[in-house]
Amino acid sequence: MKFNWGTGIAIFFSVFVLSLVYQVYRSTQYDHSLVSDQYYADDLRYQEHYNKLVNAQQLEEDLKIQPLADKATLELHFPRQVSALGGEIYFFCPSDQSSDFRLPVEPMGDGIQRIPTEELRRGLWKIKVDWTGDGKAYYKEQDIRL
């Protein structure tokens, strides 16, 4: 069999079409879910969120989110200057939406809330704390690896 320019063009286009078909197949296997199902309503509440961030920056002592050395417990150290705490802690797993969950803010008398994490999926988590105290709203977000 002789290899001429017509054979080269046919091989090139065949490989090109096969690679396109493969890419289309791979793109159908990817999960294209949104980060939030209510993205438009979330966008409208942005000013409220911004005010919470400003309030949190004005605190003398910041909310500290830290996993313990054994990574079996997560500790949230709330500022001592704020009392009457309430709100919500949102555990967001970027790689798996079904792993996300929410907990209420319920610190002990020392201002520390301990959350067991041994049952959680290993990897990156975004901890989003939307909390209130003394009539003001605050927000803190931090990435942790478990």
Side-chain angles (χ1 to χ4, degrees), residues 15 31-33 38 50 68 71 74 81-82 84 87 89 94-95 97 100 105 110 119 123 125-126 128 135 139-140 143:
V15 169
D31 180 23
H32 295 284
S33 63
Q38 301 87 18
Y50 180 76
L68 294 182
K71 294 193 177 184
L74 181 71
Q81 69 195 51
V82 181
I89 305 165
S95 61
Q97 184 178 7
D100 299 354
V105 171
D110 56 359
E119 298 293 324
W125 285 86
K126 291 184 180 284
K128 301 176 181 183
Y139 182 82
K140 168 94 181 218
D143 294 347

Side-chain angles (χ1 to χ4, degrees), residues 43-136:
D43 188 45
L44 293 177
R45 289 190 308 241
Y46 181 75
Q47 183 62 42
E48 179 183 321
H49 176 72
Y50 180 76
N51 292 340
K52 291 177 184 179
L53 289 171
V54 169
N55 288 342
Q57 288 177 349
Q58 292 174 347
L59 289 171
E60 293 174 17
E61 183 183 354
D62 194 18
L63 168 66
K64 294 181 186 111
I65 303 170
Q66 58 190 27
L68 294 182
D70 61 356
K71 294 193 177 184
T73 305
L74 181 71
E75 284 191 346
L76 283 77
H77 296 262
F78 289 92
R80 291 184 186 93
Q81 69 195 51
V82 181
S83 61
L85 298 173
E88 181 178 69
I89 305 165
Y90 179 46
F91 283 75
F92 173 71
C93 182
S95 61
D96 183 17
Q97 184 178 7
S98 64
S99 297
D100 299 354
F101 66 96
R102 298 173 190 271
L103 293 173
V105 171
E106 296 173 336
M108 305 303 274
D110 56 359
I112 299 174
Q113 183 168 353
R114 291 173 181 84
I115 301 168
T117 58
E118 64 267 353
E119 298 293 324
L120 296 182
R121 174 187 183 137
R122 297 292 158 220
L124 177 68
W125 285 86
K126 291 184 180 284
I127 311 301
K128 301 176 181 183
V129 184
D130 189 2
W131 57 290
T132 59
D134 294 336
K136 284 188 171 182

